[in-house]
Amino acid sequence: IMQRIVFIDTADQYPHLEEWVKANGGEMADVKIIAFTPEIQAVLVDKGIPHDSTVSYFGRIGHEKALARSSEVLALLREYIEIADNFGNSMSYKHYILFNLRFFLHYIFFMLEVIHQTIRLHQPEEVLIPVSPSAGDGASNYATYPSQLSNITEAYCKHIGMTVKKIPIPGAVADI
């Protein structure tokens, strides 16, 4: 059983994570790193840093659950989206919104499933959460840095009563 788990999705998070763990009397050997993106996986492999990808935590059942949940949410929203332009066009707007929303929902459900399965399997004492100064400011979208991974991790951990420790990450993206 790992004492701590951390979910990271950008290369600039690792050096700050390592620095924080050591400054707080810990060892990186006691931290299970889950790398969410190919970018961070490649960096960690190049540096010889042990980590897991998300593949072990998001399999066929995770895909099925995400599809089912997104279908439920979209079915509820479908009846409330009513946008029309001056020419009376409305269906194209509705389809555009639902199409893009589906991707966003799948990404959120993917993150939640990976977080859930990782915590369930490894039963950590606490979860470390890298937080950049701009995380949670509402300015980012789901495909850009900062991602919503730290926000979703924190919300999930709060929901299940898991102890979290926030690790400050400066706003500039650094090469490790």
Side-chain angles (χ1 to χ4, degrees), residues 104 107 137-148:
F104 179 73
Y107 186 62
D137 66 2
S140 64
N141 69 44
Y142 68 96
T144 61
Y145 182 81
S147 80
Q148 296 303 313

Side-chain angles (χ1 to χ4, degrees), residues 58-75 78 101-103 105-110 113:
F58 191 76
R60 181 185 57 80
I61 293 171
H63 281 86
E64 289 173 1
K65 285 167 52 175
L67 288 170
R69 287 290 185 180
S70 68
S71 292
E72 290 172 20
V73 172
L74 292 171
R78 189 170 281 115
L101 186 56
R102 180 180 302 274
F103 284 109
L105 289 171
H106 286 183
Y107 186 62
I108 298 296
F109 293 139
F110 159 72
E113 181 70 9

Side-chain angles (χ1 to χ4, degrees), residues 8-14 33-45 51 176:
I8 57 178
D9 60 351
T10 62
D12 64 323
Q13 294 171 334
Y14 182 78
I33 299 172
I34 309 300
F36 260 76
T37 64
E39 172 205 17
I40 187 60
Q41 291 171 36
V43 169
L44 294 174
V45 166
H51 67 283
I176 67 171

Side-chain angles (χ1 to χ4, degrees), residues 16-51:
H16 302 288
L17 165 68
E18 184 176 36
E19 181 182 309
W20 185 91
V21 168
K22 288 179 180 178
N24 287 279
E27 297 289 329
M28 286 305 296
D30 296 329
V31 179
K32 167 80 88 188
I33 299 172
I34 309 300
F36 260 76
T37 64
E39 172 205 17
I40 187 60
Q41 291 171 36
V43 169
L44 294 174
V45 166
D46 285 348
K47 300 289 184 184
I49 299 164
H51 67 283

